[in-house]
């Protein structure tokens, strides 16, 4: 009896349905349809190159231990006000490596084509765990770090310090970090000064409970985008030729005559280190619920000085995890690119003194490069009770420049009284002037 196995018989009819050869995308170059015959958007999507990846992972820190290059100790801290790391055992110091030079993030922006994504900005997996477990190299104990709230932990047996440096698919580990420069006492003083200037109209409960020492240093997640784009806009511009008034007394109306022109503009431009919030919570700008928009007013950050990711920079600070992917941020990116394009052409339309109304806009994004980065912010928050859950007020301090902006809850009746007082005063001056002229 032969042991030779015969091949399975061919199916009576072609196999179809999920998992069948027909359900699998065709190999490159085997598409049965000529892409040139397809609509433009479908053709572009089919022919677009797959996203490229820049590997920014730190292989030497994969075990969670950031060791001093001189003595091997793991208790590493940031020297306040610098990007220098200090060994707490032998006091050795060293600089973090800037990502701009390490990975060439500042190069070739005009030549970008397609989508280039750094490894720390890759898509978040829905089932990725928040808990990370390390086996201590010093004593063998297991150490667990909850990346929802912290990125470092200490072994409770041998006191080794662990940091989450491996790029995991839950969005907690970015490509780069921009260390804090502004110290806590400086941030407290800036917040106190900001509130003191507005204390007159502030809510009494806020003044009673105001404790700027409770400010928290937090690293907020951002996507930093380089891009090459072009835009075409078309519309109408008006140049005033005459202005005149008709009617008498209270029925006077001012009229304008203008020449109307059809205008078109085209601009090609690049963006370098455009920041986009990658936390949906911080991206929620509903002014009826919170004052998150305050954080945008303390931009910009000197992202060119960001260093390669190292969890040791987060010691003593908190962080918020990224939960938005590149595709989800594309619409916001395109909105900002269109705003930049409008600003680019603004200088060429100033002769239209009656204004320009753009009626058609077209944006072409030629290429983008995405990197995930933690940016430093000192945040003071106050919850004002009220209907629908009240309002959450923030005062934010840029952790690099010290730029401060915020929202202080006010007593509406004081504002109204001040407005009426100023209005009455101005009316009195106007009456005196009219009496003097008569």
């Amino acid at each position: 009896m032969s042991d030779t196995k015969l091949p399975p018989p061919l199916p009576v009819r072609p196999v179809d349905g999920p998992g069948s050869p027909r359900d699998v995308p065709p190999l490159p170059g085997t598409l049965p349809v000529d892409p040139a015959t397809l609509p433009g958007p479908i053709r572009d999507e089919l022919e677009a190159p797959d996203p490229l990846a820049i590997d920014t992972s730190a292989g030497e820190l994969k075990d969670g231990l950031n060791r001093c290059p001189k003595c091997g100790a793991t208790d590493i801290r940031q020297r306040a006000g610098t990007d220098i790391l200090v060994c707490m055992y032998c006091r050795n110091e060293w600089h973090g490596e800037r990502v701009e030079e390490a990975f060439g993030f500042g190069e070739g922006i005009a030549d970008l084509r397609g989508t280039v994504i750094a490894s720390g900005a890759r898509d978040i997996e829905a089932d990725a765990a928040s808990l990370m477990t390390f086996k201590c190299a010093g004593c063998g104990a297991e150490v667990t770090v909850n990346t929802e709230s912290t990125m470092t932990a200490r072994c409770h047996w041998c006191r080794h310090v662990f940091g989450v440096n491996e790029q995991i698919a839950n969005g907690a580990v970015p490509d780069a970090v921009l260390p804090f420069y502004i110290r806590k006492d400086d941030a407290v003083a800036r917040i106190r000064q900001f509130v003191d200037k507005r204390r007159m109209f502030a809510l009494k409960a806020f003044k009673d409970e105001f404790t700027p020492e409770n400010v928290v240093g937090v690293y907020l997640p951002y996507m930093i985008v380089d891009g090459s784009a072009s835009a075409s806009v078309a519309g109408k511009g008006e140049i005033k030729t005459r202005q005149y008034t008709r009617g008498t007394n209270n029925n006077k109306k001012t009229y304008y005559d203008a020449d109307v022109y059809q205008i078109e503009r085209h601009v090609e431009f690049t963006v370098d280190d455009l920041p986009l919030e990658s936390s949906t919570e911080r991206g929620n700008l509903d002014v009826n619920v919170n004052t998150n928009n305050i954080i945008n007013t303390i931009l910009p950050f000197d992202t060119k000085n960001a260093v390669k990711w190292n969890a040791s920079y987060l010691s003593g600070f908190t962080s918020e995890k990224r939960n938005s992917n590149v595709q989800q941020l594309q619409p916001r990116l395109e909105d900002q690119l269109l705003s930049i394009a409008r600003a680019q052409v603004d200088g060429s339309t100033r002769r239209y003194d009656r204004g320009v109304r753009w009626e058609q806009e077209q944006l072409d994004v030629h290429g983008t490069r995405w990197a995930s980065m933690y940016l430093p912010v000192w945040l003071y928050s106050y919850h004002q009770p009220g209907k629908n859950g009240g309002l959450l007020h923030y005062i934010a301090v840029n952790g690099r420049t010290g730029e401060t902006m915020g929202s202080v809850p006010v007593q509406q009746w004081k504002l109204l009284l001040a407005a009426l007082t100023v209005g009455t005063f101005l009316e009195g001056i106007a009456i005196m002037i009219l009496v003097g002229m008569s």
Side-chain angles (χ1 to χ4, degrees):
M1 184 175 180
S2 174
D3 292 335
T4 304
K5 293 185 178 180
L6 298 175
L10 295 174
V12 178
R13 60 183 181 83
V15 179
D16 54 16
S20 69
R22 291 187 178 187
D23 193 51
V24 178
L27 295 173
T30 63
L31 190 66
V33 179
D34 182 4
T37 63
L38 298 173
I42 299 177
R43 181 179 65 250
D44 293 343
E45 184 174 350
L46 282 173
E47 295 182 342
D50 291 335
L52 302 176
I54 301 173
D55 186 6
T56 63
S57 60
E60 68 278 10
L61 302 176
K62 190 173 182 180
D63 62 355
L65 296 176
N66 180 22
R67 295 186 181 276
C68 171
K70 186 175 180 180
C71 72
T74 60
D75 193 357
I76 311 299
R77 306 286 178 87
Q78 175 198 357
R79 173 184 277 186
T82 72
D83 63 357
I84 295 174
L85 293 174
V86 182
C87 173
M88 303 307 292
Y89 182 75
C90 72
R91 313 309 295 178
N92 180 43
E93 300 181 352
W94 65 98
H95 284 270
E97 186 179 4
R98 288 173 51 179
V99 292
E100 192 84 357
E101 287 85 16
F103 304 112
F105 283 157
E107 302 171 359
I109 298 177
D111 300 324
L112 285 173
R113 294 297 180 269
T115 304
V116 180
I117 301 176
S119 54
R122 68 182 187 268
D123 283 357
I124 298 169
E125 296 179 6
D127 58 349
S130 296
L131 296 177
M132 292 285 294
T133 302
F134 298 94
K135 191 176 185 64
C136 179
C139 66
E142 288 193 345
V143 179
T144 301
V145 181
N146 184 358
T147 59
E148 291 286 351
S149 56
T150 185
M151 299 297 285
T152 59
R154 188 185 289 273
C155 176
H156 53 280
W157 292 106
C158 69
R159 311 305 289 167
H160 264 320
V161 178
F162 289 83
V164 182
N165 292 303
E166 181 184 357
Q167 289 180 342
I168 50 181
N170 68 357
V173 180
D175 300 292
V177 57
L178 188 62
F180 273 89
Y181 265 18
I182 300 297
R183 301 169 185 260
K184 181 174 181 177
D185 55 354
D186 190 358
V188 169
R190 291 171 185 269
I191 292 172
R192 191 183 300 279
Q193 182 183 43
F194 180 87
V195 171
D196 285 346
K197 292 180 179 179
R198 296 155 178 82
R199 185 174 289 273
M200 178 182 294
F201 301 105
L203 204 65
K204 184 180 185 301
F206 172 79
K207 290 188 288 187
D208 293 341
E209 300 171 20
F210 178 59
T211 312
E213 290 76 16
N214 291 341
V215 64
V216 176
V218 56
Y219 280 101
L220 297 181
Y222 278 77
M223 286 286 201
I224 306 300
V225 187
D226 298 335
S228 172
S230 61
S232 298
V233 292
K236 291 182 173 60
E238 297 184 2
I239 298 177
K240 184 174 67 176
T241 58
R242 189 164 68 111
Q243 176 179 336
Y244 51 95
T245 302
R246 288 181 176 171
T248 58
N249 299 327
N250 293 333
N251 295 321
K252 284 185 178 180
K253 288 186 179 181
T254 301
Y255 294 87
Y256 301 90
D257 289 342
D259 292 333
V260 181
Y261 297 86
Q262 179 69 29
I263 57 177
E264 298 179 357
R265 295 290 186 271
H266 179 81
V267 61
E268 297 190 6
F269 59 98
T270 60
V271 292
D272 186 4
D273 283 9
L274 179 68
L276 298 176
E277 290 167 322
S278 55
S279 164
T280 53
E281 180 183 353
R282 296 299 172 192
N284 176 16
L285 302 181
D286 185 354
V287 296
N288 295 315
V289 178
N290 61 60
T291 59
N292 277 335
N293 57 316
I294 291 299
I295 298 174
N296 292 326
T297 65
I298 62 172
L299 297 172
F301 288 86
D302 56 327
T303 51
K304 294 294 182 186
N305 291 316
V307 298
K308 290 176 63 175
W309 168 253
N310 190 318
S312 296
Y313 284 108
L314 270 68
S315 180
F317 301 101
T318 62
S319 61
E320 292 187 4
K321 219 168 50 168
R322 171 176 69 92
N323 59 8
S324 297
N325 294 325
V326 168
Q327 187 174 5
Q328 294 169 292
L329 296 174
Q330 287 283 4
R332 196 182 309 169
L333 171 66
E334 293 175 3
D335 285 344
Q336 295 211 22
L337 291 178
L338 264 178
S339 296
I340 293 171
R342 296 187 198 106
Q344 292 268 340
V345 303
D346 183 63
S348 67
T349 61
R350 291 176 183 167
R351 63 186 293 255
Y352 300 99
D353 54 6
R354 283 278 296 158
V356 173
R357 182 177 66 255
W358 298 118
E359 298 171 339
Q360 295 178 332
E361 297 176 325
Q362 179 180 339
L363 175 71
D364 293 315
V365 181
H366 308 308
T368 53
R369 178 166 55 210
W370 300 71
S372 178
M373 187 179 295
Y374 273 162
L375 300 182
V377 177
W378 289 102
L379 272 182
Y380 181 81
S381 61
Y382 175 79
H383 181 261
Q384 178 183 0
K387 60 181 181 180
N388 299 323
L391 179 63
L392 187 58
H393 294 266
Y394 288 109
I395 302 175
V397 179
N398 185 312
R400 298 285 292 189
T401 66
E403 182 71 25
T404 305
M405 185 54 66
S407 170
V408 175
V410 297
Q411 300 188 70
Q412 299 293 338
W413 67 268
K414 283 189 176 181
L415 283 180
L416 181 60
L417 180 61
L420 291 174
T421 303
V422 172
T424 303
F425 177 71
L426 293 177
E427 286 179 1
I429 293 178
I431 292 173
M432 289 174 62
I433 294 174
L434 291 174
V435 170
M437 294 175 59
S438 60

